[in-house]
Structure formats: structure tokens, C-alpha cells
Amino acid sequence: MASRIVRNVLVVLVSVVWLVPTWLVVVNAFTPSAQYTGSPRWWFASADIATNIRTAFSTAGVGQGMLNTLIYAALGAAIAVLISALAGFAVTVMPVKRPAIWFWGIYIGTVLPLQTFLSPLFTGYARTGLYDTQYGMLLIYVAMTIPFAFFVNRNFLMTVPRELAEAAQLDGANWLRMFLRVHLPLARSALLATFVFQFTWIWNDLLFGITLSLSPNVRPVMATLADLSGSYGTAGPPVILAGALVASIPTVLLFFVFQRFFVNSLRLTS
């Protein structure tokens, strides 16, 4: 009984900690910029979020940033999930020598802080012409999301009975057909869960966006919002918050659509 009470109290406290900032963001995003006094409002006095959104889109190009990020997140996550699924299949099903070494060789990239990659990446991108290009941004997002996707898909494929692969071999299936016809359908939930994780990570990325891009037609949405609060600081906090609310819609919708797979992914990585 006591443990249940403690658990419920903790759930309420965590909910309050999450809901209060969210409420402040929503309320102040509706506040007209001319009426914002510098202190956050706690209740709706007047609503002018449409003007704030139009200002965010016209001043810093939030709409273009969202379109750029949609391309990076959708394509980047899909490519990373496919490559990681193939790699996971190779180290769990195919007779690869020293699969543990291959696993750690791919996954160890997640151990280092992302900041350690910025300087060599910037130098390499500047020398190869990839800086401030959509191809360059897509490339870095695919590279950065493969290790975690590989970790999830490899762990899931390890749970697939080996008898299925042996039966497919007896039927004359080669490795590619075995992957496409047997393991890929079974791993659908893991693949979708991984896609949700990686899509969300790419969508929320700021670090690589502000380091490897500059033009509005290349910059992702989080870097665009950073420009809105920096170079275009006269727009005011309500405009920035309105842009942030709009930018959060795709990931929220994606979570609710694939909520079941998102929860499954937490179980797979635990």
C-alpha cells in the first residue's frame, strides 16, 4: 500500500514538472508580441497565435526549415533502419566471423559525446564541398542514427528462432530472400519503433544543424528556431514559442500514430 502511494505521488510530481513548462509555452505562444512584458504569463489574456506563427514563418523561414527536416528525418531514419536491419541480420543469422567485434565496432560510435565529432566533421565537410548541402546533412544524420538502430534491430533479431532460418535454407532460399521473406516481416514492430526513435532524434537535432548548414533552404527546423531567437531576436519570445509549437507537431503526431511500437522499443532496449 505504501509503495503504491509513493509511486502515485512520484507520477503526479513528474506530470506536474512536465505540464507546467508546457502550459507556459502554450499560453505565451498565444500572447501578442506587443503585449509581452518580459515575464511569462500564466493565463490567456488575449490570443494572437496566428500572427505569431506568420511572423515566425516569414521572418526566419520556419516553414522551409520544417520541410528540410522532414526530408532529413524521413529519408535519414528510413535509410538508417534499413542498413541497420541488414547489419543486424548479418551478425545474428549469417555465418559471420567474430560477430561480437562487428557489433561493438558499429555500436561504439554512440559512446563518445557528439561534440567530439564537430570539429573534424566541419573541416571534412568544408574540404569536400558537403558543407551547407542537403546531401551532407542527410549523410550525417544517416551515419549518426545507424549505431542505435543497429543495436535495437540486432537485439530483436536475436530473439527470432534459428529454426526459421534453417527451414528457409532447406527450401532453397538465399540470404537475401531469407531476410526479405522471413526476418523482415517478423521485425516489423522493431523497425517501426526504431524509425520513430530516429525520426524524433533527427527532427530535434540542433547541434549538427547549426554546425554543418547555413542557408535557409538547407538548415533544419531547430537551427532555424535558433536563428529566430538569435539573429532575429526582435521577433519576441511569443513568436519563438509559436514557431516551436508548430515545429513540435510532426513528432507528436508520429508518437501517437506509432505509440504501440514506441512502447515496444522501450522494452527492446531495456
Side-chain angles (χ1 to χ4, degrees):
M1 182 66 179
S3 61
R4 180 179 299 179
I5 294 176
V6 172
R7 183 179 60 186
N8 291 338
V9 170
L10 288 176
V11 170
V12 172
L13 289 176
V14 171
S15 301
V16 170
V17 170
W18 183 86
L19 287 174
V20 169
T22 304
W23 173 256
L24 286 174
V25 169
V26 173
V27 170
N28 289 276
F30 277 80
T31 302
S33 294
Q35 299 180 14
Y36 189 79
T37 60
S39 300
R41 293 191 176 189
W42 288 87
W43 195 253
F44 295 96
S46 57
D48 197 18
I49 191 172
T51 301
N52 292 338
I53 292 175
R54 284 196 299 269
T55 304
F57 274 62
S58 61
T59 302
V62 173
Q64 181 63 47
M66 291 182 65
L67 179 60
N68 297 337
T69 311
L70 181 62
I71 296 173
Y72 303 148
L75 280 180
I79 294 172
V81 168
L82 178 59
I83 294 175
S84 64
L86 288 168
F89 176 80
V91 300
T92 56
V93 181
M94 297 177 67
V96 176
K97 293 183 179 180
R98 298 180 178 86
I101 295 178
W102 283 103
F103 168 74
W104 286 110
I106 297 174
Y107 184 66
I108 199 171
T110 61
V111 177
L112 299 174
L114 296 180
Q115 289 81 353
T116 60
F117 302 110
L118 294 182
S119 180
L121 274 173
F122 179 82
T123 302
Y125 267 50
R127 291 178 178 176
T128 57
L130 290 173
Y131 178 76
D132 198 29
T133 64
Q134 291 186 333
Y135 297 107
M137 295 303 301
L138 182 61
L139 179 63
I140 190 60
Y141 285 137
V142 171
M144 288 297 171
T145 51
I146 281 178
F148 179 78
F150 171 67
F151 171 78
V152 175
N153 292 322
R154 175 253 190 186
N155 286 356
F156 180 84
L157 290 173
M158 289 180 66
T159 65
V160 177
R162 298 192 64 86
E163 290 77 8
L164 294 177
E166 294 172 356
Q169 283 182 316
L170 291 176
D171 289 339
N174 56 27
W175 293 117
L176 181 59
R177 179 174 296 181
M178 191 185 306
F179 171 75
L180 295 176
R181 298 292 181 85
V182 179
H183 291 78
L184 195 60
L186 291 174
R188 183 182 62 176
S189 60
L191 295 176
L192 288 174
T194 309
F195 178 84
V196 171
F197 263 115
Q198 306 308 73
F199 184 99
T200 303
W201 184 88
I202 296 173
W203 189 275
N204 293 328
D205 171 68
L206 173 64
L207 193 62
F208 294 107
I210 62 176
T211 304
L212 302 177
S213 66
L214 184 62
S215 304
N217 61 338
V218 176
R219 282 212 143 181
V221 65
M222 292 304 161
T224 303
L225 288 174
D227 288 340
L228 190 61
S229 61
S231 302
Y232 305 99
T234 56
V239 175
I240 300 171
L241 294 176
L245 277 180
V246 175
S248 67
I249 292 175
T251 52
V252 173
L253 291 178
L254 189 70
F255 171 76
F256 281 110
V257 171
F258 296 105
Q259 183 178 7
R260 176 166 59 91
F261 302 105
F262 188 85
V263 173
N264 289 340
S265 66
L266 295 178
R267 298 173 181 171
L268 289 170
T269 55
S270 61

